[in-house]
Amino acid sequence: MKGQWWKKAVVYQIYPQSFCDSDGDGIGDLKGIIKKLDYIKYLGVDVIWLSPVYRSPKADNGYDISDYYSISREFGSMDEFDLLVKEVHARGIRIIMDLVVNHTSDEHPWFIESRKSVSNPYREYYIWRAGKENQPPNNWGSWFNGSAWEYDSATDMYYLHIFSKKQPDLNWENATVRKEIYQMMDWWLSKGIDGFRMDVISLISKKQDFPDGRITGTYGSYGDLTPLCENGPKVHKYLKEMNREVLSKYDIMTVGETPNASVQDAAEYTNSEGTELNMVFQFEHVMVDYGKYGKYTKNRYRVSDLIRVLSKWQEGLYENGWNSLYLENHDQPRSVSRFGDTSNELFWNKSAKMLATCLFMLQGTPYIYQGQEIGMTNPMFDSLEDYPDIEAKQTYDLLVKQEKVMSAADFLSCVQNLGRDNARTPMQWNTENNAGFTKGTPWIKVNENYDRINVKRQIDDEDSILNYYRKLIELRKIHDIISDGKYELLELNSENLWGYQRRNEYEQIEVYANFSSFVVVCEYIKNENKKVLISNYKDIRPGLLRPYEAIVYYEKVIKSTN
Ligand code: NOJ
């Protein structure tokens, strides 16, 4: 695995705004992260993924960048960033940055210039089109709702924004734009960072005839731009160019965010010749509970759907690409609330560990989102006011106010279920005010359960979710089978059970997990002759799996001599 250290790595995602605030302004910052590096070291992870810390007006919490070469004032200074990299490296950890280059902020100097006139040298940095009879150039709906085109009176034309109108899409057809981006990537890499997580990188190549999209209902009366922009005609060409010009010159890791990518798409992005990216975030398993309006639904998932999708990806990318393994990030609800059970303390503890076991024993690079390792839960705020996410606000305007397809109360339930702010409440460090996150007023409310769910309490508790994560991380370092074994789904007798095997020439593991709050019969659970690698119960009940029980068996493969 020379040069492929990321195959054995575990990544920890920090969402800086909500991690640790050192100066009392209610917003997490770089100094706060530095203060917590010993904790991250204690956890045992290998890589930190830092969500955007660049200068930004924060229309979308930093995914709208106005200066790629500066640090946002609330987060700190470039000197503090350099110190962070130094301190991370001193602990033997690597750090990757978020790279947001499908779009910039509308306050980026390129866009300020671009909108001035059709002959401005920066005009072609963005995607401008004339309207049709006082209407936008086509019917595309923004992923943050409403039209994906914004009219600009200065030149009487429209610009494209797949996200909010504060996030105009860059024009990747323009070779100068690509060159600017590659230079900027080089600049960060030469500072010593260890790679990039590439925001919606699969969107950078749009179909250039800009046809109308199909009206599916997901975007109200607007057309779906997804098939016309996602994994578009030149995306692989651009990534190969980026790889040649920048990535191949460094020993780094890259992970592309690729919503709607199929297994075939992912195999191409992560091809074994290494000409594009190391791995991608696919979305299929975090869409298993989506409804007519996408994540704005009260649906719960079906266990069999989650198992089917994750199994498909395990099989599809074996020796053919590389998986990223995740259940949470800053855009997803808390996994224990979504896929586990928070109805009582015992089920919360067991189900969080069970989910972690299932994820960590798969092939790929696991990602832990801050707070996942202590089983943080969705906060269930009872007012929409407490959810500041721009996506939720704009979707409310579309679905509740304009198109009136949902009541405000139903919309609140949807946000409580799958909204993005579920993951963005402050990290719960201890039982002090605001969970120890800030001495000021936090930018978003703290989850009330911090007196019960916090890092301090779990460090001291042998049986905590946190200590269980530490064991799982450690196991991945010891046993190669976890990174290289072939996956096979086991047929079990209940749709609430997930069983799978991983096997290489020398070793094998078997994983059994009960996704229900009932005791379920499972004949493969035995006491004798099988080494238990890890389990979330203290003992074994042969023939049974208790509520949310997970167990991993390990065996050496005896080779036959003939
Ligand atoms: C994906 C990011 O993860 C999300 O938070 C952001 O809103 C969009 N891309 C736009 O950058």
Side-chain angles (χ1 to χ4, degrees):
M1 288 196 185
K2 190 160 170 286
Q4 297 193 334
W5 49 265
W6 38 268
K7 286 195 170 174
K8 293 275 292 186
V10 177
V11 183
Y12 187 77
Q13 182 192 353
I14 295 184
Y15 194 65
Q17 192 150 328
S18 305
F19 192 60
C20 179
D21 174 24
S22 73
D23 60 5
D25 66 356
I27 301 172
D29 47 42
L30 297 179
K31 273 196 188 153
I33 298 174
I34 295 173
K35 256 178 39 188
K36 297 296 183 187
L37 287 180
D38 286 336
Y39 166 69
I40 294 172
K41 175 79 189 162
Y42 159 86
L43 191 57
V45 298
D46 310 280
V47 180
I48 293 171
W49 150 24
L50 196 60
S51 277
V53 290
Y54 312 90
R55 179 77 43 90
S56 156
K58 304 259 167 64
D60 186 19
N61 290 359
Y63 283 92
D64 48 321
I65 296 171
S66 54
D67 182 354
Y68 287 112
Y69 294 91
S70 309
I71 300 292
S72 159
R73 279 190 200 91
E74 302 85 34
F75 291 149
S77 64
M78 194 57 83
D79 284 347
E80 282 162 12
F81 178 82
D82 291 337
L83 180 65
L84 171 67
V85 174
K86 203 171 136 216
E87 292 290 330
V88 168
H89 286 164
R91 287 167 179 78
I93 303 173
R94 291 175 159 106
I95 181 163
I96 66 172
M97 302 271 287
D98 225 301
L99 181 79
V100 188
V101 289
N102 171 67
H103 46 270
T104 67
S105 161
D106 65 339
E107 296 181 34
H108 193 291
W110 295 341
F111 190 73
I112 294 173
E113 284 302 311
S114 184
R115 73 194 317 176
K116 282 185 181 160
S117 71
V118 290
S119 55
N120 189 284
Y122 289 91
R123 186 66 172 182
E124 295 303 313
Y125 272 46
Y126 294 87
I127 302 170
W128 292 96
R129 289 290 179 280
K132 285 186 188 152
E133 294 159 14
N134 289 332
Q135 292 297 315
N138 68 22
N139 73 352
W140 290 359
S142 146
W143 282 4
F144 283 178
N145 294 299
S147 171
W149 297 94
E150 182 69 9
Y151 178 69
D152 201 53
S153 59
T155 56
D156 190 27
M157 286 177 86
Y158 292 77
Y159 66 85
L160 178 72
H161 59 89
I162 294 185
F163 297 91
S164 81
K165 64 179 182 196
K166 300 254 330 142
Q167 294 162 291
D169 281 54
L170 282 164
N171 177 17
W172 275 72
E173 297 281 319
N174 180 349
T176 317
V177 167
R178 304 204 299 274
K179 215 167 144 207
E180 293 257 24
I181 292 169
Y182 303 155
Q183 263 172 19
M184 177 269 287
M185 292 170 71
D186 249 324
W187 188 83
W188 283 100
L189 288 166
S190 56
K191 270 183 169 298
I193 65 158
D194 303 288
F196 293 109
R197 173 269 185 187
M198 301 185 186
D199 191 62
V200 285
I201 201 67
S202 52
L203 284 178
I204 57 178
S205 166
K206 283 88 177 163
K207 268 195 101 197
Q208 289 300 298
D209 52 346
F210 294 89
D212 275 344
R214 216 162 60 82
I215 297 169
T216 57
T218 306
Y219 303 94
S221 52
Y222 293 95
D224 183 4
L225 60 78
T226 310
L228 308 162
C229 296
E230 195 76 67
N231 310 304
K234 298 193 191 145
V235 67
H236 295 290
K237 179 174 166 233
Y238 295 152
L239 287 176
K240 287 197 172 81
E241 180 184 76
M242 178 196 281
N243 187 296
R244 252 191 340 266
E245 299 289 321
V246 189
L247 307 175
S248 58
K249 300 185 181 144
Y250 300 88
D251 178 24
I252 53 173
M253 84 168 244
T254 52
V255 48
E257 189 199 26
T258 57
N260 300 305
S262 65
V263 172
Q264 289 71 25
D265 294 325
E268 204 168 338
Y269 286 122
T270 68
N271 68 72
S272 42
E273 290 84 58
T275 55
E276 295 189 23
L277 304 173
N278 298 144
M279 61 193 110
V280 294
F281 290 123
Q282 59 86 14
F283 276 59
E284 230 183 310
H285 69 296
V286 289
M287 290 168 83
V288 286
D289 42 9
Y290 274 25
K292 181 165 178 219
Y293 303 109
K295 75 177 66 151
Y296 293 90
T297 177
K298 295 193 256 182
N299 283 357
R300 287 281 294 179
Y301 81 114
R302 280 180 33 194
V303 178
S304 53
D305 289 337
L306 186 72
I307 297 174
R308 176 180 47 77
V309 171
L310 287 173
S311 299
K312 180 176 94 180
W313 280 86
Q314 286 292 297
E315 287 154 10
L317 289 190
Y318 180 69
E319 292 187 339
N320 197 22
W322 192 251
N323 270 296
S324 306
L325 308 172
Y326 75 99
L327 292 176
E328 281 184 33
N329 61 40
H330 62 291
D331 294 331
Q332 301 295 331
R334 291 295 181 177
S335 58
V336 66
S337 301
R338 185 185 202 173
F339 301 119
D341 188 339
T342 56
S343 60
N344 64 51
E345 180 94 16
L346 180 76
F347 289 175
W348 161 75
N349 176 299
K350 298 292 183 203
S351 67
K353 292 174 180 169
M354 180 277 288
L355 291 168
T357 314
C358 290
L359 190 75
F360 268 68
M361 292 298 133
L362 293 174
Q363 184 171 44
T365 300
Y367 288 73
I368 302 170
Y369 175 69
Q370 66 185 42
Q372 179 180 345
E373 77 278 18
I374 55 167
M376 277 179 64
T377 65
N378 290 353
M380 300 302 284
F381 296 141
D382 53 19
S383 160
L384 271 173
E385 306 281 292
D386 294 329
Y387 294 97
D389 180 17
I390 184 173
E391 182 199 81
K393 289 202 182 315
Q394 295 197 181
T395 308
Y396 177 87
D397 286 348
L398 183 80
L399 299 182
V400 181
K401 286 197 357 218
Q402 284 167 40
E403 308 217 342
K404 300 191 173 42
V405 290
M406 215 185 261
S407 71
D410 281 343
F411 189 80
L412 174 63
S413 309
C414 296
V415 173
Q416 290 170 332
N417 187 30
L418 298 183
R420 307 198 301 177
D421 278 336
N422 286 309
R424 299 175 181 183
T425 62
M427 180 71 184
Q428 294 168 203
W429 293 106
N430 51 44
T431 53
E432 287 165 26
N433 257 351
N434 296 319
F437 161 70
T438 180
K439 297 231 180 312
T441 309
W443 70 274
I444 185 173
K445 268 171 65 175
V446 178
N447 191 325
E448 279 175 1
N449 62 17
Y450 70 84
D451 54 337
R452 196 165 52 78
I453 302 179
N454 64 65
V455 170
K456 176 148 193 312
R457 180 166 171 187
Q458 295 200 23
I459 285 180
D460 299 337
D461 174 6
E462 207 15 47
D463 190 39
S464 65
I465 298 169
L466 174 61
N467 278 312
Y468 194 85
Y469 263 94
R470 292 177 65 223
K471 282 185 208 136
L472 285 170
I473 295 168
E474 186 61 27
L475 283 175
R476 290 192 68 100
K477 302 211 162 94
I478 303 172
H479 297 285
D480 286 342
I481 172 91
I482 305 176
S483 13
D484 65 23
K486 187 167 172 13
Y487 173 93
E488 194 186 322
L489 180 66
L490 301 173
E491 287 289 325
L492 299 179
N493 51 306
S494 157
E495 62 169 28
N496 287 318
L497 298 185
W498 188 4
Y500 63 83
Q501 190 183 59
R502 305 280 314 281
R503 207 180 154 98
N504 66 20
E505 232 185 310
Y506 310 102
E507 305 163 291
Q508 83 172 41
I509 56 176
E510 281 162 59
V511 180
Y512 297 97
N514 179 0
F515 277 70
S516 80
S517 57
F518 307 103
V519 175
V520 180
V521 172
C522 179
E523 56 176 312
Y524 301 100
I525 305 302
K526 297 191 176 131
N527 240 341
E528 357 52 79
N529 299 335
K530 281 185 172 180
K531 177 175 164 190
V532 176
L533 212 53
I534 190 165
S535 154
N536 61 352
Y537 278 75
K538 288 206 167 60
D539 55 357
I540 286 172
R541 291 284 160 78
L544 298 177
L545 281 168
R546 284 157 287 184
Y548 304 108
E549 181 163 2
I551 180 161
V552 182
Y553 290 119
Y554 172 90
E555 275 174 277
K556 291 239 183 281
V557 173
I558 316 280
K559 282 202 184 155
S560 74
T561 44
N562 49 25

